[in-house]
Structures are given as C-alpha cells and as structure tokens.
Amino acid sequence: MVTTHNPPAPRMATAPPGLSRPRRRRPRATAGSGRLAALLISPTLLVLTVVVLYPTIVALKDSLFGTAGIDPKTGFVRDTDPFVGAENYTAIFGDAGARFWNAFWNTTFLTFTTVALETVIGVAMALIMHRAFQGRALVRASILVPWAIPTAVSGLLWRWIFNSDGIANALTGRHVLWTTEGFHAKAAVIIADVWKTAPFIGLLVLAGLQVINKEVYEAARMDGAGPLRQFWNITLPLVKPALLVAVLFRTLDALRMFDLPYILIGAQKTSVETLSMLAQDQAANVRFGPAAAYAVILFLYVFLIALAFVRLLGANVVGDDEAGPKRGRWLPRRRTEVAA
C-alpha cells in the first residue's frame, strides 16, 4: 500500500500587529474619462467665467484709470478717463486713504464679531432643533423664519425697531439714537445681522447632527459621560466639518456686507461704512477708477481669507485626512486591514 504525503499548505505571510497592508493605488483616469469630466464641468466653468472672471478683469482694468477732469497740460476737460497706473492703489497709503482704512477695519470688525456670535447661537439653535419634543416642527419653522426674510426687508424692520421712539428704546428705557454715528450704530448692525443669519449656521449644523449614530451617545452614557462631555467629545468633533463649512460661507458673505448697514444706518456713515459701501459710493460719484480699485482690494481680501481658511482647516472642509485630529474615546475608528 502506497501512502502519499500531502505537503502542508503554505502559510500566508502575516503582517505584524499594528501594521496595515499598503494601500492599492487608485487607477489613473483614462483619456475618455478625462474628456467626459471636462464636458460635464464645462457649463460651470462657462458660468464662472461670465459671472466672476470677466467682471474681475474689467474691474482690474478700470482700476488703472483715474477720474475725468481738467487736463493740467491743456486746460481743457478730458473726454476719457486718464491712465494713472497703480495710483488708485497707492493713494490708500496717503492722506486720502483714511476713509479706506476706516471702511477696511469696519468690514473686519463687523465680519468677525457677527460670525463669532452667529456660530455660538447657531450651534445652540441646531441642538434645540435636533432634540425630539412635542412641537419641534413649529420651533424649527420659527427659528428659520428670520433667515428666509430678504435682507432689505430685515433692514427696514430693524430700522423701525431702532428708531428714537422704537421698541429698542422702549425696552431699555433709554433714548439712544441707534441709526446715527457711534458704536451703537455698529451694535445695531451686529444685532440685526446675527438675528437674520444665525439660523443659516444652525441649519447646516443640524444637517451634521442628524447623521450622528445614536449608539455612540448610548456608549458614552453607559461609561458615565454627562451632557457636557458628550457635546465636547462626540457632538463637536463629528459635526465639525459641517460647522467649518458654515463658518466659511458666513465669513465670505459677511466680508461683502452692504445692504444691511446701508438700509439700517444709511450711506456715508463713518461708524458702519464697509468696503462694499465705499466702492458703491465712489461709483455713484462717477469715480469709477477708485471704486474699481476698492472692489479689487475687497476681492483679494476675500480670496486670501478663503485661502487661509482652507489651508489651515482644509482637512475638514475639503475632505477627510489620515493625519487629522485624534478621535474621541467613543467615536468609531477606521478598521485596519491585516493580511490573514
């Protein structure tokens, strides 16, 4: 009788514990898929070219020209705007730049103050709207109503509230001229803007809250974590991407603030004049060169803020990053693939 010995099956190499198998490289896009992608995004690129790129180029060209007036060489009135180069930009560093820097600091102060308050209030609104209680739909609708009101209507509403004989003075018991010069004018704009746009941040944060698994909170409660610790270690890290996107959108929108202070306080008010209001005022006075220069500077300011925001916090705005922040104790971790 012949016995055959089957050789033992070869063992597969096992990776040391803690080490993951190297990731497979993503397949490169083929020429066909590249052409399809270019075809699909071409309408968007066309719209961006017409709406953004072309006006920016025209504004940059107009900013290199001055204001038509009397030619000192001939003594006659010019028919066209003279070419002045970068004079409209360098003028902001001279005596004539005081109004520009006042508008610049007003824009910066109003932006960061309103966005900070809106973030805190918006997160609180989202937590309230996320809870299950009777009448939740009515509460959600009432919170979102201010955001649905047009800004012009909202400005007129708050102008009536901040009148000398309005509701604001009746509640405070003081006679404050809210719509005149002074810090109270800034406070009026901040209150009106926070009331209107805090629900926008709350809505985006609410969308992030609704995708959090309830089992994570149950595991935290079983470990004895209180509401504050659950919010800090679970809610805030998981809702952070949606919150950062909301803050980015609101920051970019607030930097271009024009209609609310223009309607609520008025034009040419030193306390609340922003860069957008300054550019509009210069254009209304047929000084298109300085107006275009201010608009270009505002565009660069918004662009740099957005670039810095994405560079510093881009892992959470653009997508997940493997080298991102450490996860909390109860948050689900990525599975590590180990060869068996």
Side-chain angles (χ1 to χ4, degrees), residues 138-336:
L138 181 61
V139 173
R140 287 185 176 183
S142 61
I143 288 178
L144 296 178
V145 163
W147 180 57
I149 297 177
T151 306
V153 178
S154 177
L156 292 174
L157 171 65
W158 282 99
R159 186 178 181 87
W160 174 68
I161 293 175
F162 286 122
N163 276 337
S164 58
D165 55 349
I167 300 175
N169 288 336
L171 294 177
T172 58
R174 297 181 179 181
H175 188 72
V176 180
L177 300 178
W178 295 92
T179 57
T180 58
E181 295 285 1
F183 184 79
H184 44 267
K186 287 188 175 69
V189 174
I190 291 171
I191 293 171
D193 191 69
V194 170
W195 175 82
K196 173 174 173 51
T197 53
F200 172 76
I201 294 183
L203 184 64
L204 293 185
V205 175
L206 176 63
L209 288 173
Q210 290 180 341
V211 299
I212 300 177
N213 196 342
K214 295 182 180 180
E215 296 178 356
V216 181
Y217 291 102
E218 294 177 0
R221 282 193 293 268
M222 292 178 63
D223 286 349
L228 183 59
R229 193 175 179 187
Q230 291 179 28
F231 171 78
W232 189 257
N233 291 335
I234 299 176
T235 304
L236 196 58
L238 290 178
V239 84
K240 191 176 180 181
L243 179 61
L244 291 177
V245 171
V247 171
L248 175 60
F249 285 173
R250 274 302 305 141
T251 302
L252 301 184
D253 188 47
L255 287 171
R256 301 178 289 105
M257 186 183 298
F258 170 79
D259 43 3
L260 183 61
Y262 187 88
I263 296 173
L264 177 58
I265 307 299
Q268 299 182 4
K269 293 295 183 66
T270 306
S271 302
V272 296
E273 187 175 49
T274 62
L275 287 176
S276 297
M277 296 172 66
L278 177 59
Q280 186 273 340
D281 181 72
Q282 294 295 313
N285 287 282
V286 202
R287 303 185 73 243
F288 299 111
Y294 298 151
V296 171
I297 293 174
L298 177 60
F299 171 79
L300 293 177
Y301 188 31
V302 173
F303 176 78
L304 291 176
I305 292 293
L307 182 62
F309 201 100
V310 173
R311 284 301 181 97
L312 294 176
L313 304 170
N316 296 293
V317 175
V318 179
D320 292 334
D321 191 3
E322 291 295 332
K326 294 182 179 179
R327 293 178 171 267
R329 177 180 176 184
W330 302 285
L331 302 188
R333 301 179 182 274
R334 294 184 177 90
R335 296 180 180 177
T336 302

